Amino acid sequence: MLNIILTILAILVIILLWVTIYDSNRFVIVRHTFSDKRIRKSMRAVVITDLHNKCFGRNNELLLAAIREQKPDFILMGGDIPTAKPKKSLDIAISFLRELTKEYTVYYANGNHEHRMKLYPETYGDMWERYESALGELDVKLLVNEKVELPECGLCIYGSEIERKYYKRFKTPQMDDSYLKSILGECQDERYSVLLAHNPDYFPQYAAWGADLVVSGHIHGGMVRVPFWGKGVVSPKLRFFPKYDGGLFKQDKSVMLLGRGLGMHTIPIRTFNPGELLVVDFEPDGQNV
C-alpha cells in the first residue's frame, strides 16, 4: 500500500514539474472588447505587462510574431518590462522595444521595477538613466503621471506611477481619496479613459477617480493557479489567494483588465498559469462588455 501511495505521489510531482516547465515557457492570447459611445472608431491594442526580460524564441521572435498577427494599432505597456536587479542587463527589454517601435506606437507606464531603478541609484547604479535614455531614443511614449489624448479615436490614455510605499509586502497601505487627482489631475469625461496602473490593489481608487478602463499587472496571475477553481495562489506581496489575481473586474462604471503578465522573477515559476498576451478591441457605441 505504501509503495502505491509513493508511486502516485511521484507521478503527481512529475506532472507538476512538467506543467511548471511548460507553462513557464509559453503564453496564450486572450481577447477582450470594450465599447462606448465616446469611442469614435474601432481600434486594437496589444497589452503587454510583466515581461521581466523573458524571451520567447530567439530575440523574442515568437512573441513579436504573435503581436504582428494581431495587427494592433498601438501597444499598451503596463510596466515591469525589465527586471530591477543590480547589474542585470537591459538588453532584452530594449531590443524588444526597438522591434516594436519600428512598427507601432508604444504607450508605456512604469511598474514597480522601473520605479525602483529610478528611486535607488545607490543600488541600481545608472540602470534607470540608461533605460530612460533608450526609451527616449526609441520614441516610446513614457507616461509618468501623464496623459496622451487620441481625439481621432475618442480615447485618453493615462499612465500612473504611484509611490513606492503602495507596493509594501504583507499589507496594502490606505490610499487617500485625493491622491490620484493630485498626481493625474481630473479624469476627462468627454473621452473614454484608459488608465495604465501597474498595481491592481487600488482598483477601487482608480474607479472612484473616474477611469473607464484600468489596465494592470504585477500579480503574475498568482504564479500558481488552482486547477478548475482557477484562483491565483500568491501575490508579490506574499498574500495568499489575492482578490485581484487576473482577468476582468468591475466596480461601478469602471472595468479593470488585470493581465497575468508574460515573465517571472525571484521565484521563476508558473504553474497552470501560462504567460498572457492581451488583445483589446475598442469599439464605438454601446456599453462596456
Short mmCIF file of all heavy atoms in Angstrom, two decimals, residues 194-233:
data_model
loop_
_atom_site.label_atom_id
_atom_site.label_comp_id
_atom_site.label_asym_id
_atom_site.label_seq_id
_atom_site.Cartn_x
_atom_site.Cartn_y
_atom_site.Cartn_z
N VAL A 194 -8.45 55.41 -20.47
CA VAL A 194 -7.71 54.17 -20.22
C VAL A 194 -6.56 54.52 -19.27
O VAL A 194 -5.70 55.34 -19.60
CB VAL A 194 -7.14 53.58 -21.53
CG1 VAL A 194 -6.36 52.30 -21.23
CG2 VAL A 194 -8.27 53.31 -22.52
N LEU A 195 -6.55 53.90 -18.10
CA LEU A 195 -5.53 54.17 -17.10
C LEU A 195 -4.59 52.98 -16.99
O LEU A 195 -5.00 51.88 -16.61
CB LEU A 195 -6.17 54.45 -15.74
CG LEU A 195 -5.20 54.60 -14.56
CD1 LEU A 195 -4.28 55.80 -14.77
CD2 LEU A 195 -5.98 54.74 -13.24
N LEU A 196 -3.32 53.19 -17.34
CA LEU A 196 -2.29 52.17 -17.13
C LEU A 196 -1.81 52.30 -15.70
O LEU A 196 -1.15 53.29 -15.34
CB LEU A 196 -1.13 52.37 -18.11
CG LEU A 196 -1.49 52.40 -19.61
CD1 LEU A 196 -0.23 52.64 -20.44
CD2 LEU A 196 -2.17 51.11 -20.03
N ALA A 197 -2.17 51.35 -14.87
CA ALA A 197 -1.87 51.41 -13.43
C ALA A 197 -1.37 50.04 -12.99
O ALA A 197 -2.16 49.10 -12.87
CB ALA A 197 -3.12 51.82 -12.64
N HIS A 198 -0.08 49.93 -12.77
CA HIS A 198 0.55 48.63 -12.59
C HIS A 198 -0.03 47.84 -11.41
O HIS A 198 -0.21 46.62 -11.51
CB HIS A 198 2.06 48.83 -12.40
CG HIS A 198 2.84 47.56 -12.38
ND1 HIS A 198 3.00 46.76 -13.49
CD2 HIS A 198 3.50 46.93 -11.37
CE1 HIS A 198 3.73 45.70 -13.18
NE2 HIS A 198 4.03 45.78 -11.90
N ASN A 199 -0.28 48.51 -10.31
CA ASN A 199 -0.71 47.83 -9.08
C ASN A 199 -2.24 47.73 -9.03
O ASN A 199 -2.92 48.73 -8.86
CB ASN A 199 -0.19 48.60 -7.86
CG ASN A 199 -0.44 47.85 -6.56
OD1 ASN A 199 -1.23 46.92 -6.49
ND2 ASN A 199 0.25 48.28 -5.51
N PRO A 200 -2.81 46.52 -9.11
CA PRO A 200 -4.27 46.39 -9.16
C PRO A 200 -4.95 46.53 -7.80
O PRO A 200 -6.17 46.65 -7.74
CB PRO A 200 -4.46 44.96 -9.69
CG PRO A 200 -3.27 44.22 -9.18
CD PRO A 200 -2.12 45.21 -9.26
N ASP A 201 -4.18 46.52 -6.71
CA ASP A 201 -4.80 46.56 -5.38
C ASP A 201 -5.64 47.82 -5.16
O ASP A 201 -6.51 47.84 -4.28
CB ASP A 201 -3.72 46.49 -4.29
CG ASP A 201 -3.15 45.08 -4.14
OD1 ASP A 201 -3.81 44.12 -4.60
OD2 ASP A 201 -2.04 44.95 -3.59
N TYR A 202 -5.36 48.85 -5.96
CA TYR A 202 -6.06 50.12 -5.75
C TYR A 202 -7.14 50.36 -6.81
O TYR A 202 -7.48 51.51 -7.11
CB TYR A 202 -5.04 51.26 -5.70
CG TYR A 202 -4.14 51.12 -4.49
CD1 TYR A 202 -2.89 50.53 -4.61
CD2 TYR A 202 -4.57 51.52 -3.23
CE1 TYR A 202 -2.08 50.34 -3.50
CE2 TYR A 202 -3.75 51.34 -2.11
CZ TYR A 202 -2.51 50.76 -2.25
OH TYR A 202 -1.72 50.57 -1.14
N PHE A 203 -7.69 49.29 -7.32
CA PHE A 203 -8.76 49.42 -8.30
C PHE A 203 -9.93 50.25 -7.79
O PHE A 203 -10.47 51.10 -8.52
CB PHE A 203 -9.24 48.04 -8.76
CG PHE A 203 -10.40 48.09 -9.72
CD1 PHE A 203 -10.44 48.99 -10.77
CD2 PHE A 203 -11.48 47.21 -9.56
CE1 PHE A 203 -11.52 49.02 -11.66
CE2 PHE A 203 -12.56 47.24 -10.42
CZ PHE A 203 -12.58 48.16 -11.47
N PRO A 204 -10.37 50.10 -6.53
CA PRO A 204 -11.47 50.96 -6.05
C PRO A 204 -11.14 52.45 -6.16
O PRO A 204 -12.01 53.26 -6.51
CB PRO A 204 -11.64 50.54 -4.58
CG PRO A 204 -11.17 49.12 -4.55
CD PRO A 204 -10.01 49.08 -5.51
N GLN A 205 -9.87 52.81 -5.90
CA GLN A 205 -9.47 54.21 -6.01
C GLN A 205 -9.41 54.66 -7.48
O GLN A 205 -9.78 55.79 -7.81
CB GLN A 205 -8.12 54.43 -5.34
CG GLN A 205 -8.15 54.41 -3.82
CD GLN A 205 -8.22 53.01 -3.22
OE1 GLN A 205 -8.09 52.01 -3.93
NE2 GLN A 205 -8.40 52.94 -1.91
N TYR A 206 -8.93 53.76 -8.37
CA TYR A 206 -8.91 54.09 -9.79
C TYR A 206 -10.33 54.32 -10.31
O TYR A 206 -10.57 55.22 -11.11
CB TYR A 206 -8.25 52.97 -10.60
CG TYR A 206 -6.87 52.56 -10.15
CD1 TYR A 206 -6.44 51.23 -10.28
CD2 TYR A 206 -5.97 53.48 -9.61
CE1 TYR A 206 -5.18 50.84 -9.89
CE2 TYR A 206 -4.70 53.09 -9.21
CZ TYR A 206 -4.31 51.77 -9.35
OH TYR A 206 -3.06 51.38 -8.94
N ALA A 207 -11.25 53.47 -9.84
CA ALA A 207 -12.65 53.59 -10.27
C ALA A 207 -13.25 54.89 -9.76
O ALA A 207 -13.96 55.59 -10.49
CB ALA A 207 -13.45 52.39 -9.78
N ALA A 208 -12.98 55.22 -8.49
CA ALA A 208 -13.52 56.45 -7.91
C ALA A 208 -12.95 57.68 -8.62
O ALA A 208 -13.65 58.70 -8.75
CB ALA A 208 -13.20 56.51 -6.41
N TRP A 209 -11.71 57.59 -9.08
CA TRP A 209 -11.09 58.71 -9.81
C TRP A 209 -11.81 58.95 -11.14
O TRP A 209 -11.90 60.07 -11.61
CB TRP A 209 -9.61 58.40 -10.04
CG TRP A 209 -8.90 59.40 -10.90
CD1 TRP A 209 -8.54 60.69 -10.56
CD2 TRP A 209 -8.45 59.21 -12.25
NE1 TRP A 209 -7.89 61.30 -11.61
CE2 TRP A 209 -7.83 60.41 -12.66
CE3 TRP A 209 -8.51 58.14 -13.14
CZ2 TRP A 209 -7.27 60.56 -13.94
CZ3 TRP A 209 -7.96 58.28 -14.40
CH2 TRP A 209 -7.35 59.48 -14.79
N GLY A 210 -12.33 57.86 -11.74
CA GLY A 210 -13.13 58.01 -12.94
C GLY A 210 -12.66 57.23 -14.15
O GLY A 210 -13.21 57.39 -15.25
N ALA A 211 -11.66 56.36 -13.99
CA ALA A 211 -11.16 55.59 -15.13
C ALA A 211 -12.26 54.69 -15.69
O ALA A 211 -12.96 54.01 -14.94
CB ALA A 211 -9.95 54.75 -14.71
N ASP A 212 -12.39 54.68 -17.01
CA ASP A 212 -13.33 53.76 -17.64
C ASP A 212 -12.73 52.35 -17.71
O ASP A 212 -13.39 51.37 -17.39
CB ASP A 212 -13.69 54.24 -19.05
CG ASP A 212 -14.45 55.56 -19.02
OD1 ASP A 212 -15.53 55.58 -18.41
OD2 ASP A 212 -13.95 56.55 -19.57
N LEU A 213 -11.47 52.28 -18.15
CA LEU A 213 -10.77 51.00 -18.23
C LEU A 213 -9.42 51.15 -17.54
O LEU A 213 -8.64 52.04 -17.86
CB LEU A 213 -10.55 50.59 -19.69
CG LEU A 213 -9.70 49.33 -19.92
CD1 LEU A 213 -10.38 48.10 -19.32
CD2 LEU A 213 -9.41 49.12 -21.40
N VAL A 214 -9.18 50.28 -16.57
CA VAL A 214 -7.88 50.22 -15.88
C VAL A 214 -7.14 49.00 -16.41
O VAL A 214 -7.69 47.90 -16.46
CB VAL A 214 -8.07 50.10 -14.35
CG1 VAL A 214 -6.71 50.00 -13.66
CG2 VAL A 214 -8.87 51.28 -13.82
N VAL A 215 -5.88 49.20 -16.81
CA VAL A 215 -5.04 48.10 -17.28
C VAL A 215 -3.93 47.91 -16.25
O VAL A 215 -3.12 48.81 -16.02
CB VAL A 215 -4.45 48.40 -18.66
CG1 VAL A 215 -3.51 47.28 -19.08
CG2 VAL A 215 -5.55 48.57 -19.69
N SER A 216 -3.92 46.74 -15.62
CA SER A 216 -2.96 46.47 -14.55
C SER A 216 -2.19 45.18 -14.80
O SER A 216 -2.48 44.43 -15.74
CB SER A 216 -3.68 46.37 -13.19
OG SER A 216 -4.17 47.62 -12.78
N GLY A 217 -1.22 44.93 -13.93
CA GLY A 217 -0.41 43.70 -13.99
C GLY A 217 0.06 43.34 -12.59
O GLY A 217 -0.73 43.25 -11.67
N HIS A 218 1.36 43.12 -12.46
CA HIS A 218 2.03 42.99 -11.16
C HIS A 218 1.85 41.65 -10.45
O HIS A 218 2.77 41.15 -9.81
CB HIS A 218 1.59 44.13 -10.24
CG HIS A 218 2.35 44.22 -8.95
ND1 HIS A 218 3.72 44.27 -8.91
CD2 HIS A 218 1.92 44.26 -7.65
CE1 HIS A 218 4.11 44.36 -7.64
NE2 HIS A 218 3.04 44.35 -6.87
N ILE A 219 0.68 41.04 -10.54
CA ILE A 219 0.37 39.87 -9.72
C ILE A 219 0.86 38.57 -10.37
O ILE A 219 0.96 37.54 -9.71
CB ILE A 219 -1.15 39.79 -9.43
CG1 ILE A 219 -1.64 41.11 -8.84
CG2 ILE A 219 -1.48 38.66 -8.48
CD1 ILE A 219 -1.00 41.49 -7.53
N HIS A 220 1.14 38.60 -11.66
CA HIS A 220 1.61 37.41 -12.39
C HIS A 220 0.61 36.27 -12.32
O HIS A 220 0.99 35.10 -12.38
CB HIS A 220 2.97 36.93 -11.85
CG HIS A 220 4.06 37.94 -11.96
ND1 HIS A 220 5.37 37.66 -11.60
CD2 HIS A 220 4.06 39.22 -12.37
CE1 HIS A 220 6.12 38.75 -11.79
NE2 HIS A 220 5.33 39.70 -12.26
N GLY A 221 -0.67 36.62 -12.19
CA GLY A 221 -1.69 35.58 -12.13
C GLY A 221 -1.67 34.78 -10.85
O GLY A 221 -2.38 33.77 -10.75
N GLY A 222 -0.88 35.21 -9.86
CA GLY A 222 -0.76 34.44 -8.63
C GLY A 222 0.28 33.34 -8.72
O GLY A 222 0.31 32.44 -7.87
N MET A 223 1.10 33.38 -9.77
CA MET A 223 2.18 32.40 -10.02
C MET A 223 1.64 30.99 -10.26
O MET A 223 1.86 30.41 -11.31
CB MET A 223 3.22 32.39 -8.89
CG MET A 223 4.02 33.67 -8.79
SD MET A 223 5.51 33.52 -7.80
CE MET A 223 4.82 33.14 -6.18
N VAL A 224 0.96 30.44 -9.27
CA VAL A 224 0.35 29.11 -9.38
C VAL A 224 -1.16 29.30 -9.31
O VAL A 224 -1.67 30.00 -8.43
CB VAL A 224 0.82 28.18 -8.25
CG1 VAL A 224 0.09 26.83 -8.33
CG2 VAL A 224 2.33 27.98 -8.30
N ARG A 225 -1.88 28.69 -10.24
CA ARG A 225 -3.34 28.78 -10.22
C ARG A 225 -3.93 27.41 -9.91
O ARG A 225 -3.42 26.38 -10.38
CB ARG A 225 -3.87 29.32 -11.55
CG ARG A 225 -3.38 30.74 -11.83
CD ARG A 225 -4.02 31.36 -13.05
NE ARG A 225 -5.40 31.74 -12.83
CZ ARG A 225 -5.76 32.89 -12.22
NH1 ARG A 225 -4.84 33.71 -11.77
NH2 ARG A 225 -7.03 33.18 -12.07
N VAL A 226 -4.96 27.42 -9.11
CA VAL A 226 -5.59 26.16 -8.69
C VAL A 226 -6.43 25.62 -9.83
O VAL A 226 -7.33 26.31 -10.34
CB VAL A 226 -6.47 26.38 -7.45
CG1 VAL A 226 -7.12 25.06 -7.03
CG2 VAL A 226 -5.65 26.98 -6.31
N PRO A 227 -6.15 24.39 -10.30
CA PRO A 227 -6.93 23.83 -11.40
C PRO A 227 -8.43 23.80 -11.09
O PRO A 227 -8.83 23.59 -9.94
CB PRO A 227 -6.37 22.40 -11.53
CG PRO A 227 -5.00 22.48 -10.94
CD PRO A 227 -5.09 23.48 -9.83
N PHE A 228 -9.23 24.01 -12.12
CA PHE A 228 -10.69 24.01 -12.05
C PHE A 228 -11.24 25.26 -11.32
O PHE A 228 -12.12 25.93 -11.82
CB PHE A 228 -11.24 22.74 -11.39
CG PHE A 228 -10.73 21.48 -12.05
CD1 PHE A 228 -9.82 20.65 -11.40
CD2 PHE A 228 -11.14 21.14 -13.33
CE1 PHE A 228 -9.34 19.51 -12.02
CE2 PHE A 228 -10.67 20.00 -13.96
CZ PHE A 228 -9.77 19.18 -13.29
N TRP A 229 -10.71 25.57 -10.14
CA TRP A 229 -11.12 26.77 -9.42
C TRP A 229 -10.60 28.01 -10.15
O TRP A 229 -11.27 29.01 -10.26
CB TRP A 229 -10.63 26.72 -7.98
CG TRP A 229 -11.09 27.86 -7.11
CD1 TRP A 229 -12.20 28.65 -7.29
CD2 TRP A 229 -10.46 28.34 -5.92
NE1 TRP A 229 -12.30 29.60 -6.28
CE2 TRP A 229 -11.24 29.42 -5.42
CE3 TRP A 229 -9.32 27.97 -5.22
CZ2 TRP A 229 -10.90 30.12 -4.26
CZ3 TRP A 229 -8.99 28.66 -4.06
CH2 TRP A 229 -9.78 29.72 -3.60
N GLY A 230 -9.36 27.92 -10.63
CA GLY A 230 -8.76 28.98 -11.41
C GLY A 230 -8.27 30.16 -10.61
O GLY A 230 -8.02 31.23 -11.17
N LYS A 231 -8.14 30.02 -9.30
CA LYS A 231 -7.73 31.14 -8.46
C LYS A 231 -6.21 31.17 -8.31
O LYS A 231 -5.56 30.14 -8.14
CB LYS A 231 -8.37 30.99 -7.07
CG LYS A 231 -8.21 32.22 -6.17
CD LYS A 231 -8.98 33.40 -6.70
CE LYS A 231 -8.84 34.61 -5.77
NZ LYS A 231 -9.37 35.83 -6.37
N GLY A 232 -5.63 32.40 -8.38
CA GLY A 232 -4.20 32.55 -8.17
C GLY A 232 -3.84 32.34 -6.71
O GLY A 232 -4.58 32.77 -5.81
N VAL A 233 -2.69 31.73 -6.45
CA VAL A 233 -2.34 31.32 -5.09
C VAL A 233 -1.68 32.43 -4.28
O VAL A 233 -2.03 32.66 -3.12
CB VAL A 233 -1.43 30.07 -5.11
CG1 VAL A 233 -0.91 29.73 -3.71
CG2 VAL A 233 -2.22 28.88 -5.68
#
